[in-house]
């Protein structure tokens, strides 16, 4: 049976007060997530290499780059005929990149030869 003197309200009140206090501290430290017109993550992650928005293809390495999707498919067909698995991706500048696994990148670049390699 709950006590009738109101002490059971003290725990939730302390929890709400603590969350409010921590929110005020974070606000004063400059962790405002609601800045209008700005990308808040750009300022927070400035200088951290793992948050760069560069070209990251994971385990794959670029073997060739082209502006034309048909040429990229021809390069992939040439690599497929040689037994090299490949895929393509679009770079931030709009060009297509043909990607292969690192152990096959040298052979793929030799086979592609005349295409603009990276």
């Amino acid at each position: 049976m709950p006590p009738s003197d109101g002490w059971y309200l003290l725990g939730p009140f302390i929890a709400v007060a603590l969350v409010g206090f921590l929110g005020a501290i974070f606000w004063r430290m400059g962790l405002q997530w609601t800045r209008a017109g700005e990308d808040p993550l750009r300022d927070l992650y400035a200088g951290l290499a793992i948050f760069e928005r560069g070209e990251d293809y994971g385990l794959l390495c670029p073997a060739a780059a082209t502006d034309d999707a048909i040429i990229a498919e021809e390069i992939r067909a040439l690599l497929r005929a040689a037994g090299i698995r490949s895929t393509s991706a679009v770079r931030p500048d709009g060009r297509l990149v043909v990607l292969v696994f690192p152990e096959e990148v040298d052979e793929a670049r030799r086979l592609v030869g005349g295409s603009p390699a990276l």
Side-chain angles (χ1 to χ4, degrees):
M1 187 156 116
S4 62
D5 55 1
W7 281 100
Y8 63 94
L9 292 176
L10 187 60
F13 177 74
I14 290 173
V16 169
L18 183 62
V19 168
F21 178 71
L22 290 175
I25 288 175
F26 289 147
W27 184 266
R28 287 294 292 162
M29 288 173 49
L31 299 178
Q32 296 104 355
W33 296 97
T34 58
R35 292 184 195 163
E38 293 183 20
D39 183 13
L41 298 179
R42 184 189 68 211
D43 296 334
L44 278 176
Y45 300 134
L48 297 176
I50 61 171
F51 292 110
E52 280 185 12
R53 293 186 180 150
E55 296 179 24
D56 181 24
Y57 302 112
L59 295 176
L60 301 176
C61 297
T66 182
D67 291 326
D68 191 8
I70 296 172
I71 294 175
E73 284 303 317
E74 289 175 0
I75 292 171
R76 290 192 62 213
L78 175 70
L79 294 175
R80 192 178 314 116
I84 298 174
R85 295 175 294 168
S86 66
T87 188
S88 60
V90 180
R91 289 184 4 182
D93 63 358
R95 297 185 75 197
L96 289 168
V97 180
V98 177
L99 303 168
V100 296
F101 286 101
E103 59 271 3
E104 298 171 333
V105 71
D106 292 332
E107 183 181 353
R109 288 182 177 170
R110 273 193 300 266
L111 283 172
V112 172
S115 73
L118 296 174

